[in-house]
Amino acid sequence: MSHLAAAPAPSVRVRAPGKINLTLRVGPVADDGYHPLVTVFQAVALHEEITATEVPEGAGISLTVEGPQADRVPLDSSNLAWQAVEAIARHVGLDPSVALHIAKGVPVAGGMAGGSADAAATLLACDALWGTALPREELAGLAATLGSDVPFALLGHTAVGTGRGHLLTPAMTRGEFHWAFATRDDGLSTPAVYRRFDELTGPTAPSVDDADDNGLMQALRAGDPTALGEALQNDLEAAALDLRPELARTLQIARDGGALGVMVSGSGPTVAALARSRQHALALAATWTAEDAADAVWCTTAPAPGARVL
Ligand code: C5P
C-alpha cells in the first residue's frame, strides 16, 4: 500500500527579543498626544518566537499563542501581530492571509515590549514567507506605524531612541550584563502611566533635549556594570509607583540584595535589577520569590540580537 503525503505548508520561524530601557527621559506631552523621548534601549535574551504558515488565499489571519501568561494575550485584531500582517500585506499589495503561532518568552504587559517583538517578528516572517524581500529600512518604517517600540525589536542590541522612541541610533557596548526581573500578573497600561506622568509633572515637564545621560554611554562602552547600575534612570518610575505603590518594596528588596541598579522597566510594572553575575541575578530572583514580592521572576542577559529568521 502506498500513499502520497501532502507536502507541509511552507512556514517561517522568526525570533525577536524583549527590551529594557536603561534610561528613559520623558518630555512634556506634544499636541499629537505622544511624549518626546530620549531613551537607551537594550534588547534582552528573553524572546518571542513566531511561526508564520502559508494558508490558502482568502483564508484570513489566524492566531494561536503558547507560553507563560498566554491566556492574557488577545487573539483578534487588537493583537499587534495581527495588525502587522495587515500593515505589510497592504504595503506589498498581497492578500493578508497567514496562520500565526506565537511562543511567548517575554512577560506580558510588563513594559518589556513583548507585543512589539511579536509585531516585529511578524513583519519579518511575512516578508520571508511571501518572498517580498523588503529592505530593512522599509520594514522599520512599517514597524514605526505599529508602535513606538516595534522598530527597536527589529534592530535589537543597544540603541538610542528619540522622537516617540522610534528614531534609532545603534550604540556601542562591550560585554554582557546580567538582569533579574520581577513581574506582576496585573499589567499596567502604557497610556495610563503616561497620563499619570502628565498629572505628576504638570504642563511644564523639563524638555529632554539636554537630558544628562549620567555616564550611561561611557558605562556601556566600557562594559562596566557598576557604572551602568549608577546611570540607570526612568522618568516614568514615579508614575508607575504612584499607580502601584507595592512596587516600592520590590525595588527595595533588590537594593538590599546588592543589585548594582534597580528600576521600573519602561512603563512597568516589571522591576529590573542589574546583577553582578548570573549567580547574583538568580539570588535576587530567589529573594523576590521568598518575600512574595513578584508573581513571576526571570533572569537573563543583555544585549541580544534583533528579530531574525531561524
Ligand atoms: O506607540 P505606542 O502605540 O506603543 O504607544 C502607546 C501609548 O503610549 C500612546 O498612545 C501614548 O499614550 C503613549 N506614548 C506616549 N509617548 C511615547 C510613546 C507612547 O505618550 N513616546
Side-chain angles (χ1 to χ4, degrees), residues 110-301:
M112 295 184 68
S116 300
D118 294 340
T122 300
L123 290 176
L124 206 54
C126 289
D127 181 55
L129 190 67
W130 299 340
T132 40
L134 293 177
R136 275 272 169 164
E137 311 84 77
E138 233 167 288
L139 287 172
L142 280 173
T145 67
L146 293 163
S148 308
D149 291 337
V150 183
F152 178 71
L154 273 180
L155 186 67
H157 301 283
T158 307
V160 179
T162 56
R164 286 181 272 120
H166 66 299
L167 304 172
L168 299 173
T169 308
M172 260 279 294
T173 70
R174 189 189 303 269
E176 190 178 59
F177 299 101
H178 296 273
W179 290 91
F181 301 112
T183 60
R184 303 282 180 161
D185 287 344
D186 199 4
L188 270 173
S189 136
T190 301
V193 175
Y194 274 105
R195 269 199 304 279
R196 186 53 59 95
F197 170 86
D198 293 338
E199 288 159 10
L200 292 175
T201 55
T204 54
S207 152
V208 287
D209 292 343
D210 38 30
D212 181 4
D213 97 329
N214 233 357
L216 183 85
M217 300 310 275
Q218 174 56 27
L220 288 172
R221 279 193 298 272
D224 179 344
T226 305
L228 179 62
E230 285 163 10
L232 301 175
Q233 47 186 339
N234 179 0
D235 287 349
L236 291 181
E237 182 165 300
L241 282 171
D242 194 65
L243 292 168
R244 290 290 170 74
E246 69 273 19
L247 296 180
R249 191 170 78 90
T250 310
L251 291 165
Q252 192 56 45
I253 287 169
R255 279 189 207 106
D256 293 345
L260 301 174
V262 187
M263 64 178 175
V264 170
S265 170
S267 57
T270 298
V271 168
L274 181 63
R276 290 188 304 272
S277 62
R278 180 178 144 74
Q279 290 311 321
H280 185 210
L282 291 169
L284 290 169
T287 310
W288 277 328
T289 303
E291 306 248 346
D292 200 17
D295 291 322
V297 293
W298 317 61
C299 291
T300 190
T301 57

